[in-house]
Amino acid sequence: MKSIPKLIRRFVGIMMLSIIILVILNVAFYWIAFVRNTSVFSPWDMARQTADALQLTDKGFLLADDMAVQIKEQDAWAVLIDDDTREVVWHTNTMPDNIPVQYTLSDIAELTRGYVDGYPTFTAGAPKGLLVLGYPRDSFWKHTRASWDYDFIADLPRNAIIILAVNTMLIFLIYAAANSKLLHSVKPVTNGIQDLSSGCPVCIKEEGVFAELAEKINKTSEILQEQTKQLRKKETARANWIAGVSHDIRTPLSMIMGYADQLANANHWSEAERKKAAVIVRQSKRMKDLINDLNLASRLEYDMQPLAIKRENAVSIVRQVVVEFMNTDITGQFPIEWRTADTLSACYIDADKDLLKRAIANLIQNSIHHNERGCVIYASVADHGNTCRICIEDNGRGVSDEQIDSLDNAPHYMACDTNTTEQQHGLGLLIVKQIIKGHKGKVAIGHSEYGGLKTVLTIPK
């Protein structure tokens, strides 16, 4: 089954694509979050700008108005701790009441890297002191013990790739384990569907994920097998009925033909009566030919007619049939022109000579039946590489596109409609199709360049 590896490849491909897309989306998300929170605003830069904007005047320390506005808008506060006394010598009006005004060295060390009473603080060097910029609680999270081993940081890219590879492998193993049972259940179902399409009986174990589907396939197989059995019985009964009726009709039909022939040649009958008897003879012969055609069509359809395949010359076979018709055309209403190239003397194919002659004769007879006032019939054989093409066409009244479509899609020869004038010709063309099908060839019906009907038989060499 080619579908199982294809299904596995599809699952693996979807999984790998999902992992790649997931990694790309995560990297993009963290990159956007990092850029948004670092490049747009930095409290450390804000502390530096505040220290630069703080000036010492005769009246004490004074902060530039624009910087004071920014600090207020950010709901922040700022103090300046003196280098010598470690006391707050200046602060903004927004400083909370619980902020101490006297600091020890340990307090300064703590606020420099972390918090003052829960307020995240950021520092910068200022004239004669240390500027401390504070923000509301829960506005920033500070890692107060940021120290990493150098080798760990140096090896971080490599370790990240290794971790990503291990995670990918783990995801793959989990995915494969989770879907192995599913794939195991899919195989018998796909095999069953394939056997179902070929007409073989199917019996799938009704277990696993696809138990319900397996049950439906099994029931469908049972129904199809029963339908095939019933159809085979009907076809056998029909074939036996055709053979039996044909056999039962032959004896009385032979008697009718014999007596009618005697009456047609009797001298004591009037000319009108002999003509009527001759009509009975002709119509009886026509019925006999129809019965023979019906039997042949039935045998061909059910492969009951063995083909005596030999290496034959198609040019010689077609020429023989043409000569036979030319010899029987006493009135000259249906002349046959040989349009095969003079350089083509042989075109060898594997064929049953008698059946192939019957197919060609049916095509010529079909042109005769459809053109009561006469027509010219054209016969040709052409060598087309791996195939041999036999063409029979005429310049008669021709057929419409609808009639060609009807001939190409002719129903079963047992089908009948109200148009009784057409029934005598459909069976002949059906026999042609069945004979050429037995030779693994094709039949093409169309318009002739001479204005009539054109039928081309293509047979492999």
Side-chain angles (χ1 to χ4, degrees), residues 253-324:
L253 187 60
S254 298
M255 296 178 63
I256 293 173
M257 291 179 64
Y259 288 135
D261 186 61
Q262 292 179 12
L263 294 175
N265 295 317
N267 295 327
H268 60 278
W269 287 86
S270 65
E271 183 66 22
E273 291 171 335
R274 287 200 298 273
K275 287 183 178 180
K276 292 179 181 179
V279 170
I280 296 174
V281 172
R282 288 196 302 272
Q283 295 300 322
S284 298
K285 185 177 183 303
R286 183 177 173 186
M287 289 179 61
K288 183 178 180 181
D289 293 339
L290 182 60
I291 291 171
N292 291 334
D293 286 346
L294 191 61
N295 272 323
L296 178 59
S298 178
R299 292 196 300 271
L300 290 172
E301 182 175 359
Y302 299 110
D303 297 325
M304 299 170 60
Q305 175 71 28
L307 271 64
I309 299 294
K310 294 181 180 179
R311 199 67 178 166
E312 302 285 356
N313 184 1
V315 177
S316 176
I317 293 175
V318 178
R319 187 183 287 113
Q320 291 177 26
V321 178
V322 169
V323 170
E324 290 174 4

Side-chain angles (χ1 to χ4, degrees), residues 110 113-115 141-148:
E110 183 67 26
R113 67 180 183 181
Y115 301 83
W141 179 85
K142 298 183 69 178
H143 188 20
T144 60
R145 291 173 175 81
S147 60
W148 303 94

Side-chain angles (χ1 to χ4, degrees), residues 391-423:
C391 180
I392 304 296
E393 51 187 327
D394 59 63
N395 65 349
R397 62 183 184 180
V399 292
S400 64
D401 293 334
E402 291 77 11
Q403 289 173 314
I404 291 177
D405 183 69
S406 176
L407 292 173
D408 284 334
N409 302 280
H412 192 277
Y413 62 86
M414 289 296 292
C416 184
D417 55 33
T418 56
N419 189 0
T420 57
T421 60
E422 297 291 339
Q423 296 297 317

Side-chain angles (χ1 to χ4, degrees), residues 78 98 114 128 225 237 252 366-367 410 423 441:
N98 56 341
K128 297 183 179 298
Q225 291 300 314
N366 192 63
S367 295
Q423 296 297 317

